[in-house]
Structures are given as structure tokens and as C-alpha cells.
Amino acid sequence: MMKFFTRLLGNGQSTIAKRELYLFQTGNVQRAYTNGDAFIEHAGVVYEPHVIKRGSHKSGRDLEKQTMEIEFSLLSAFAQNLSRSELEEITTVQMFSYEGVEFRQFWSGRLTKVKPHDEGIKLQFETEYTKVGRNAVTRKIQATCPYRLFDQDCSLAKANYAVKTTIKSVDKLNMEIRGLEAYADNYFLIGMIEDPSGVLITIDTSTGNHLVLKRRFDSFANIALSDAEYTALMDDIALKTQALADAQVALALKQTAYEQALEALNNAAPEDPNYQDLVDALALAETEKNAAADAIPIAEAELRSAEEAVPYVTLYPGCLKTPDACKAYSNLPNYGGFPFVPGDNPLVRQVV
């Protein structure tokens, strides 16, 4: 249901105030905000009131190179995450206006820059029609691959290369991670590390369990686990896993006992002297079976809670965009560069 806001005119009469909606999308994650003072639901999306300022936009035929700046408060968690992230994934915005019963989209674009300053965080967007957003215009002949690792043209599935692990210690740009012994040195070179909130930081080098980051992100220190803390969390998960397995075994036994009691009752006649005992035994078996079944979701929830208590980070390898790097992924058919292009342009070479 759409909600509208009123404002008072000079004559004291109220009228519908014009408001704007902002729908941001990064991958499959949406954030919806309005510059109004109440929640708005439209087309199945709920827009949250937020302090937002934006720049002006032009309406015309030439849409290339148009930009839009949207400013958030320094306290906005959404803008903070974008300022910390390396913008590895494309973030887009759709902007709508409404007044009275009219609702229309007036601008859309993709995020190209984040600019924190003393009073807020500015997000700079380019219109979707800009040259930057069209691969056919920006594509050029070059030796290295122009595709971003894991994008549509690369065709590799990002989830297949994700490494879920925990942080042992952090010292500025240096980080100790668990469980990377099986990976070759610099396997994660120019790859990414993602924190639980989705912030992405580039990895400069990787050697065994040691990473060096491109830039400092102090929040990683808040989720580092000592060996004792890590062991306690893993022990709790193991305990909850065993409890779930025990509950499943108990349910199977109670199910078998119920079926046996049911079969015994079906094979008896009402005039048998122990018939009532069989009826009572079936009722008890059913009660115990239902109790065992009720214990399963409880055990599952406790295990899920124990697993969610672990502050995992996710690592992704990088790509140097060379044929050898592409070959290491067994993805050479999708290599988009031209490695044999000559380095010197014969048309500009001076003949002596």
C-alpha cells in the first residue's frame, strides 16, 4: 500500500508532498530507501526512511557522461560498507518519484565511486546509458583478458572457488588465517576477502596461512579468534551435531517401536485378554514417537545457532588476466584477450 506525505501551503491547506524512492541492488541484495518520513511499500518492496540528499539531473537526448551524486549520513551502515568495499560487484540504483497518484522512474545508473567527507558519504553513479556501462563500446584489442573474474563473460561460478575460514590474528595489513595449508603461495594474489557483512578487501599476497591486504580494515580484528576460542566454538558445533544425530537415531527407534506396536494390535482380536494392553502400548509408542519427532527441529536450531556463532570470512582467488592464469582455471576457451598482439605499433615507428 502506497503512503503519501502532506505539506501545508501558504493558505493553510494541505497538499500531497513529492517524495523519492531509491532502490539499490548489489548482486542479489536489495536496499530500499525513501527521503520521506515513513515506511513505504510499493511493488512488493518496503522503502525505509533515510536521510538522503542527491544532486540534480538533466533530461535530454545526450545521456552519456551524466553522473548523479547521492549523499548518505556518515552513520549509514549501507554507505559505510560501500566505502570500505572494493566495489567488486556492480551496485545499481533506480530512482522513483511520486506525488499524488503519480509514480514514475526518473533515473537509473551504476555506482562508480564512493567519496567519504566530513559531513557524509557521497555515492557517485553513472547513468546506465553511459559508455562505461556498455561492453561493446569499451571493448578494445588488448593482450590481457578484459573480463572480470567470475563475471558472465568469464563464466566461472564464484561459489565454486569460495573458501570459508576464520581469522586467527590481525596486525594492520597482515592477517593469519586458518586452513590454507593446501593452497599454493599467492593462490589468493589480487583475490578478495569478504567479511560477514559483505565488505570486500583486495588481497595483496598470500603465503600459507598468511595474507597481506591491499588496505587496512580494522573491523577484521573484531572477528579474530584465538585458538582457544576457535576450539570452543568447534567443540560446541561437534556437540550439537552429535545431539542432532542422536535425536535422529532416537526417532528411528521410536518409529520402529510404533510400527511394531501397530502390527501387534492389528494381529490381535478384541476378545483377546491382552487386547487393552496392546492398545495402551500403541498409544504410548505414538506419544514417544511424536516426542522424538519434536526433538529434531530443536536440535537442528541449536546446531544452526552454534554454526552461526562462528565469524567466518570468505576468500576468493584472483586472476592476473594472462593466458597462463586462465589456463590454471581450465578456462582458456573463455579468455578474452589477444596475447599475440604486437607491442609496437608499426604505424608510429620512425624509420631512421
Side-chain angles (χ1 to χ4, degrees):
M1 178 178 179
M2 178 79 70
K3 292 183 179 179
F4 296 96
F5 307 89
T6 60
R7 61 183 175 88
L8 293 178
L9 300 176
N11 58 10
Q13 294 181 343
S14 64
T15 183
I16 298 298
K18 185 175 182 180
R19 289 292 183 266
E20 294 178 351
L21 307 179
Y22 300 80
L23 182 60
F24 299 91
Q25 180 146 354
T26 303
N28 296 323
V29 179
Q30 286 187 336
R31 296 286 187 274
Y33 301 108
T34 175
N35 64 352
D37 54 5
F39 284 89
I40 301 173
E41 181 179 352
H42 177 72
V45 179
V46 177
Y47 291 79
E48 175 187 349
H50 217 71
V51 179
I52 300 177
K53 295 191 297 183
R54 68 167 178 85
S56 60
H57 73 287
K58 296 183 297 182
S59 299
R61 295 181 180 178
D62 185 12
L63 295 175
E64 293 184 1
K65 297 185 179 179
Q66 284 194 23
T67 61
M68 171 71 72
E69 284 192 348
I70 303 175
E71 184 172 347
F72 283 80
S73 162
L74 287 171
L75 300 179
S76 169
F78 170 69
Q80 287 177 7
N81 284 344
L82 287 176
S83 69
R84 295 165 180 156
S85 175
E86 298 286 347
L87 303 184
E88 177 68 9
E89 291 188 284
I90 293 176
T91 296
T92 60
V93 64
Q94 298 178 60
M95 299 168 59
F96 307 89
S97 68
Y98 64 87
E99 186 175 9
V101 296
E102 182 182 2
F103 179 91
R104 67 182 181 87
Q105 179 176 345
F106 66 90
W107 205 87
S108 63
R110 54 183 285 174
L111 181 63
T112 58
K113 189 179 297 184
V114 180
K115 301 185 293 184
H117 60 98
D118 292 341
E119 299 179 356
I121 301 175
K122 288 183 178 180
L123 310 182
Q124 181 174 300
F125 291 82
E126 288 182 340
T127 176
E128 290 183 328
Y129 297 97
T130 186
K131 289 183 178 181
V132 174
R134 292 181 293 168
N135 187 58
V137 177
T138 59
R139 183 71 190 273
K140 62 182 181 180
I141 303 299
Q142 61 185 54
T144 56
C145 183
Y147 305 141
R148 182 159 32 192
L149 184 61
F150 306 129
D151 71 5
Q152 183 177 359
D153 294 308
C154 175
S155 81
L156 293 177
K158 188 176 182 179
N160 294 340
Y161 295 88
V163 179
K164 194 175 179 181
T165 184
T166 57
I167 299 174
K168 187 174 181 179
S169 64
V170 179
D171 180 17
K172 297 178 181 177
L173 296 176
N174 297 283
M175 180 180 294
E176 289 295 323
I177 303 290
R178 292 181 173 88
L180 302 185
E181 295 85 359
Y183 297 93
D185 288 351
N186 283 328
Y187 175 78
F188 297 99
L189 174 68
I190 64 172
M192 307 295 293
I193 178 170
E194 182 178 11
D195 86 332
S197 66
V199 175
L200 292 161
I201 303 295
T202 301
I203 299 170
D204 197 17
T205 62
S206 67
T207 306
N209 288 325
H210 182 73
L211 302 181
V212 178
L213 306 184
K214 275 285 187 183
R215 61 187 180 89
R216 185 169 171 172
F217 184 53
D218 292 338
S219 295
F220 279 136
N222 298 331
I223 58 175
L225 297 173
S226 66
D227 288 338
E229 292 170 327
Y230 177 78
T231 300
L233 289 171
M234 293 300 107
D235 288 346
D236 190 40
I237 290 176
L239 185 65
K240 298 300 194 302
T241 301
Q242 185 60 51
L244 176 58
D246 292 342
Q248 292 168 336
V249 170
L251 176 58
L253 293 175
K254 296 302 181 182
Q255 179 67 35
T256 301
Y258 171 77
E259 293 171 355
Q260 291 173 347
L262 180 61
E263 182 180 7
L265 182 62
N266 290 337
N267 292 334
E271 59 271 18
D272 291 346
N274 64 336
Y275 187 80
Q276 186 58 47
D277 293 337
L278 294 176
V279 172
D280 295 340
L282 178 62
L284 178 61
E286 183 176 14
T287 300
E288 292 178 346
K289 174 178 73 72
N290 292 339
D294 292 341
I296 297 295
I298 296 175
E300 290 175 338
E302 290 179 348
L303 174 58
R304 185 164 53 251
S305 178
E307 291 173 337
E308 291 174 352
V310 182
Y312 286 109
V313 293
T314 306
L315 306 184
Y316 300 97
C319 181
L320 293 175
K321 302 183 181 296
T322 64
D324 288 341
C326 200
K327 189 175 181 180
Y329 284 103
S330 300
N331 197 37
L332 200 54
N334 291 315
Y335 184 75
F338 299 87
F340 302 110
V341 66
D344 296 329
N345 187 344
L347 299 180
V348 298
R349 184 178 300 169
Q350 182 177 3
V351 179
V352 179

